[in-house]
Amino acid sequence: MVPDKIAIVEAEPYPFELWPSRCALIVIDMQRDFLEPGGFGEMLGNDVSQLRRTIEPNRKLLAAWRAAGLFVVHTREGHRPDLADLPPAKRIRGRGKMHIGDQGPMGRILVRGEKGHDIIPELYPIGGEPVIDKPGKGAFHATDLHTILQYHGIRQLVVTGVTTEVCVNTTVREANDRGFDCLVLEDCVGSYFREFQEMGLRMIKAQGGIFGWVGNSKDVIKAIGKS
Ligand code: TIU
């Protein structure tokens, strides 16, 4: 049975009132191509260790969240094999040698069904945890995420995943405009760039929590253990 008691989580700019039965954990884009050595992210010259430090805190959080019987949603960024949902602007952006849909180190880059597109084994979804395949940076755009959250009575999101300033921030902003309260966990989100990690989080909690709250996984685990 899911507990129906409010749990207070230490957070900035002020404590977050977590309502377990109304709160989903959303794990954003923890995909091999972004996180694994030899993947697309590293091929673009990024330091994947900045993202890999989030794996262990996410693993512990996921275990505690599942043990408490709470709702989990995972997302993956990627496109249909025929690329019909890939905006031409997104395909050519960056003027790099490799594009989405090309053969990369772990299959076709950001294409659904390919090895590199899938979630890393450490955080692999289990039965009953919806996986949202999203063509954009935000998890609400062109997906059924909002419908799924509504059917489960969800009003709050604990947000983790990568990258902090791109898919995490975009999703938090989309969620905020749809009326969800978001708590972003600093040890469970990562950016290839240290300064974007810091500013990405500061932008969320500034101005009295303009987009939401920032906390850490230890405080969430403590809070759901007590709820
Ligand atoms: N998931 C996500 O953030 N997609 C990106 O492309 N992120 C980058 O930082 N490039």
Side-chain angles (χ1 to χ4, degrees), residues 113-143:
E114 301 288 336
K115 183 177 172 193
H117 168 265
D118 208 357
I119 293 171
I120 56 170
E122 296 91 327
L123 303 178
Y124 211 74
I126 59 173
E129 298 178 351
V131 178
I132 307 293
D133 276 322
K134 62 187 186 63
K137 303 304 183 194
F140 287 86
H141 169 69
T143 72

Side-chain angles (χ1 to χ4, degrees), residues 90-111:
K90 184 176 179 184
R91 180 168 161 81
I92 60 171
R93 187 89 43 81
R95 296 181 176 173
K97 280 200 205 90
M98 299 285 283
H99 297 111
I100 293 169
D102 291 348
Q103 200 64 37
M106 284 188 275
R108 291 180 69 203
I109 295 162
L110 293 189
V111 168

Side-chain angles (χ1 to χ4, degrees), residues 32-181:
R32 302 184 105 133
D33 253 336
F34 292 128
L35 284 129
E36 293 198 341
F40 180 52
E42 191 175 74
M43 208 184 72
L44 293 175
N46 295 309
D47 175 9
V48 292
S49 69
Q50 293 296 323
L51 306 194
R52 293 192 64 79
R53 65 162 183 79
T54 69
I55 296 174
E56 190 54 18
N58 265 293
R59 196 189 59 72
K60 288 190 177 135
L61 175 68
L62 200 49
W65 200 265
R66 286 169 175 161
L70 307 181
F71 191 52
V72 183
V73 179
H74 304 259
T75 73
R76 296 185 294 205
E77 180 178 349
H79 297 274
R80 297 159 47 104
D82 63 7
L83 305 182
D85 60 351
L86 175 62
K90 184 176 179 184
R91 180 168 161 81
I92 60 171
R93 187 89 43 81
R95 296 181 176 173
K97 280 200 205 90
M98 299 285 283
H99 297 111
I100 293 169
D102 291 348
Q103 200 64 37
M106 284 188 275
R108 291 180 69 203
I109 295 162
L110 293 189
V111 168
R112 295 175 193 160
E114 301 288 336
K115 183 177 172 193
H117 168 265
D118 208 357
I119 293 171
I120 56 170
E122 296 91 327
L123 303 178
Y124 211 74
I126 59 173
E129 298 178 351
V131 178
I132 307 293
D133 276 322
K134 62 187 186 63
K137 303 304 183 194
F140 287 86
H141 169 69
T143 72
D144 52 8
L145 174 62
H146 199 180
T147 306
I148 290 172
L149 296 177
Q150 284 179 324
Y151 288 171
H152 284 79
I154 299 297
R155 307 287 295 275
Q156 308 178 322
L157 300 174
V158 167
V159 185
T160 75
V162 301
T163 64
T164 309
E165 77 280 15
V166 182
C167 293
V168 171
N169 249 276
T170 307
T171 299
V172 167
R173 289 164 189 234
E174 287 182 326
N176 186 63
D177 280 344
R178 287 165 176 78
F180 294 90
D181 280 333

